[in-house]
Amino acid sequence: MSDSDVVEYHHYHPHGVRRVLASGTSAFIGEVDSLTILKYPLKQGGDSTRLELEHKILDIVGHHPHVIAQKGFTEAGLYLERATNGTIFQFLTETKRRDISLQQRIAWCREVAEAIEHVHSKRVIHCDIQPTNILLDQNLHIKLADFQGQYLSENGEVILSGWSGEPCRYFCPREDEFEADLYTDLFAFGSTIYFIMTDHEVFSDIVAGQPGWDEKVKLRFQSSIFPNDAHILAAITQKCWTRQYGSATEVLEDIKAIECARALLLTNPSLPLFCNFYCASRFATQKSLFGCKFSSFNTTIWAEMANSAKRILVSVSSKSPYWSEAWESSLQVIKAALGLLEESKLICSDGNEHAKPRFLVKERWNVRTFIVFDMFYDTYDPNTAHLPSQNNLPVNSVFLGEKISMSVASNLVENEVNRRVQEIHDATGIGSRPPFSVDHMSGNMPCYTNSRTR
């Protein structure tokens, strides 16, 4: 690129703007006050056509709790509601947060789906659904933003168009890159769900900025090669990418079913012990969680949860008949735990080629031995298992003491188990392979000589 091709834009502050918060490809975002921002052209006195179109589309979309609210359009630019926690992309990648529960991530995906459902009901195609256009307010609720897409007539003709398009990791393969419909939005939403659940974008092995990187990403999608990382919404992302949904409402229903089923298990840990899928659905009809009444509970979704990647914590008390076996014959205890989990319907390994448990670690204390293993997690990589992004699995818990119990682990236990697995992979060093043994018995202090981060 020659010097004549380089265009430089310098910060400027229209009247009322305190400072520039961010900039995009066509506009600055300026702080007006704690509740309001101004979106205005990169060049002073520049073209405001796209901002005016965004104003018109937001007028059509109207109010929704998960859509950014507009506050008026003037010669200065477009005034918008301020979302104080920035984009979800920044929130998950730049802050390196490790305390975000699985339930929170699912809730975010549901809120985005609710926004898309509303937008599509107004015959608007967003055309650029991605984490940098999804904001978080002060209460960490979703606000879908950057409405420079298309408004369609009742027969599908384009009435308004902002000529927006998704970046390659969110782009549904098509001949005309400016052609858009509900399927292209849902495809992009699939990649967005993937990011929210995993903390990284699709095809992270392809590094942005390297020669031909964007074409490599596009080629994979064109070849129907999709990420297969394990997460609880993986089946939904696959259906988004393969055009199996006919509307955003269908995606929303599936997300709600998983969210409600997981919440039901968290609040009723004994439920699987006394019912099969049918009576679980009957029990669920008495519950009303997150606006999901479960009048027709989706047992397929429940089965997918039981068959999805998860981490199992087995806690063995010194009063348990399994106490000596827990350390000396851990695989036998794992076998027993699997039988209990199968019986309680917390897992379902029938016909699943990834049903073999992967024994990760056993850790012994004076009165308790903990055993951790993974199920259905086919993308596990010991070379990257020390990274937080590789340890976001849901956790099921088995307690073996004088009494026996099984449950979906609380968010607190889930975070602690995933953190501990990450730490042990880190402490044992490069090239280490599970299962790992950590012995604290009689005050013993484990010693690590090859830690990755020491």
Side-chain angles (χ1 to χ4, degrees):
M1 181 180 285
S2 66
D3 291 342
S4 60
D5 293 324
V6 176
V7 178
E8 291 187 358
Y9 294 105
H10 300 280
H11 287 186
Y12 70 98
H13 301 152
H15 177 71
V17 171
R18 298 173 178 174
R19 61 190 175 106
V20 173
L21 296 173
S23 61
T25 56
S26 62
F28 286 120
I29 305 296
E31 176 188 40
V32 176
D33 55 41
S34 62
L35 300 176
T36 308
I37 60 99
L38 176 67
K39 190 173 183 179
Y40 57 97
L42 292 175
K43 183 179 180 181
Q44 197 162 3
D47 185 11
S48 296
T49 303
R50 296 189 69 185
L51 295 176
E52 185 175 6
L53 179 134
E54 184 171 1
H55 160 67
K56 291 179 180 178
I57 290 181
L58 281 171
D59 254 354
I60 294 165
V61 169
H63 173 74
H64 187 274
H66 301 307
V67 171
I68 203 74
Q70 70 155 321
K71 298 187 173 185
F73 179 76
T74 70
E75 291 183 356
L78 179 61
Y79 290 91
L80 298 166
E81 169 189 12
R82 183 175 181 182
T84 53
N85 276 301
T87 72
I88 200 167
F89 184 87
Q90 294 169 319
F91 193 82
L92 289 177
T93 58
E94 295 181 8
T95 57
K96 304 295 182 184
R97 293 178 180 268
R98 297 168 54 184
D99 58 343
I100 301 170
S101 69
L102 181 61
Q103 203 70 10
Q104 174 66 81
R105 294 173 190 271
I106 298 171
W108 281 336
C109 294
R110 169 179 50 83
E111 290 182 351
V112 178
E114 289 171 346
I116 297 171
E117 178 190 46
H118 174 76
V119 169
H120 285 181
S121 75
K122 303 296 183 178
R123 303 199 305 275
V124 169
I125 306 299
H126 187 279
C127 298
D128 195 11
I129 295 171
Q130 56 163 314
T132 59
N133 288 332
I134 296 170
L135 309 178
L136 292 171
D137 68 12
Q138 61 180 356
N139 297 314
L140 296 183
H141 287 299
I142 291 295
K143 298 287 183 178
L144 183 61
D146 202 12
F147 282 82
Q148 297 184 357
Q150 296 181 358
Y151 172 55
L152 309 179
S153 68
E154 290 186 359
N155 61 8
E157 294 180 355
V158 178
I159 299 174
L160 296 173
S161 179
W163 301 103
S164 285
E166 307 87 357
C168 62
R169 298 188 198 271
Y170 304 83
F171 181 82
C172 179
R174 52 197 188 268
E175 291 184 7
D176 182 353
E177 66 180 35
F178 293 111
E179 179 183 328
D181 54 27
L182 69 89
Y183 296 105
T184 60
D185 264 6
L186 295 184
F187 186 98
F189 183 36
S191 292
T192 301
I193 293 173
Y194 176 92
F195 171 80
I196 292 172
M197 300 306 296
T198 66
D199 286 344
H200 59 86
E201 295 182 288
V202 299
F203 308 133
S204 56
D205 59 307
I206 300 176
V207 180
Q210 291 186 345
W213 73 276
D214 51 344
E215 293 303 319
K216 292 178 183 178
V217 171
K218 289 181 180 179
L219 181 60
R220 287 192 186 178
F221 278 146
Q222 289 167 359
S223 305
S224 296
I225 299 172
F226 305 112
N228 61 355
D229 301 52
H231 58 85
I232 200 169
L233 301 185
I236 292 175
T237 58
Q238 293 293 327
K239 290 175 70 175
C240 287
W241 290 326
T242 54
R243 294 183 174 230
Q244 293 184 52
Y245 286 116
S247 68
T249 301
E250 293 178 10
V251 188
L252 177 59
E253 288 175 353
D254 276 0
I255 295 173
K256 277 187 174 182
I258 290 178
E259 181 180 35
C260 294
R262 180 170 167 79
L264 183 62
L265 288 173
L266 284 170
T267 55
N268 299 273
S270 61
L271 176 63
L273 300 179
F274 62 81
C275 68
N276 56 24
F277 294 144
Y278 172 73
C279 70
S281 67
R282 292 293 301 275
F283 183 87
T285 60
Q286 308 304 316
K287 303 294 179 180
S288 181
L289 301 170
F290 311 109
C292 181
K293 184 60 180 172
F294 275 117
S295 56
S296 57
F297 186 78
N298 190 335
T299 56
T300 301
I301 291 295
W302 190 294
E304 284 180 357
M305 287 179 64
N307 210 11
S308 64
K310 54 180 58 66
R311 186 155 283 166
I312 312 297
L313 168 68
V314 184
S315 178
V316 184
S317 166
S318 59
K319 297 180 180 181
S320 168
Y322 291 99
W323 173 246
S324 60
E325 282 185 303
W327 189 256
E328 302 298 335
S329 305
S330 302
L331 291 176
Q332 292 302 314
V333 175
I334 289 175
K335 183 178 179 180
L338 280 175
L340 293 167
L341 290 166
E342 291 268 11
E343 182 182 348
S344 67
K345 307 300 183 184
L346 282 171
I347 66 169
C348 178
S349 60
D350 291 346
N352 191 315
E353 62 184 35
H354 305 299
K356 184 178 179 181
R358 177 179 287 106
F359 181 17
L360 294 180
V361 60
K362 59 182 179 182
E363 186 168 18
R364 180 169 65 168
W365 299 80
N366 287 345
V367 295
R368 193 67 55 91
T369 296
F370 300 102
I371 298 171
V372 178
F373 63 95
D374 287 347
M375 290 293 294
F376 316 121
Y377 188 22
D378 56 310
T379 57
Y380 167 84
D381 183 353
N383 295 317
T384 59
H386 64 291
L387 301 174
S389 62
Q390 303 301 308
N391 289 279
N392 289 323
L393 290 180
V395 175
N396 286 350
S397 177
V398 178
F399 175 73
L400 303 176
E402 293 180 303
K403 296 182 178 181
I404 293 174
S405 65
M406 289 78 67
S407 67
V408 174
S410 67
N411 291 333
L412 181 64
V413 172
E414 179 179 287
N415 290 339
E416 180 62 21
V417 170
N418 284 322
R419 181 190 65 79
R420 188 68 183 128
V421 170
Q422 175 203 339
E423 286 181 347
I424 291 173
H425 276 88
D426 183 70
T428 52
I430 297 172
S432 62
R433 295 292 183 269
F436 304 111
S437 299
V438 184
D439 193 1
H440 303 272
M441 181 65 81
S442 302
N444 181 59
M445 294 289 290
C447 181
Y448 303 103
T449 60
N450 191 34
S451 175
R452 298 172 194 255
T453 57
R454 67 184 178 92

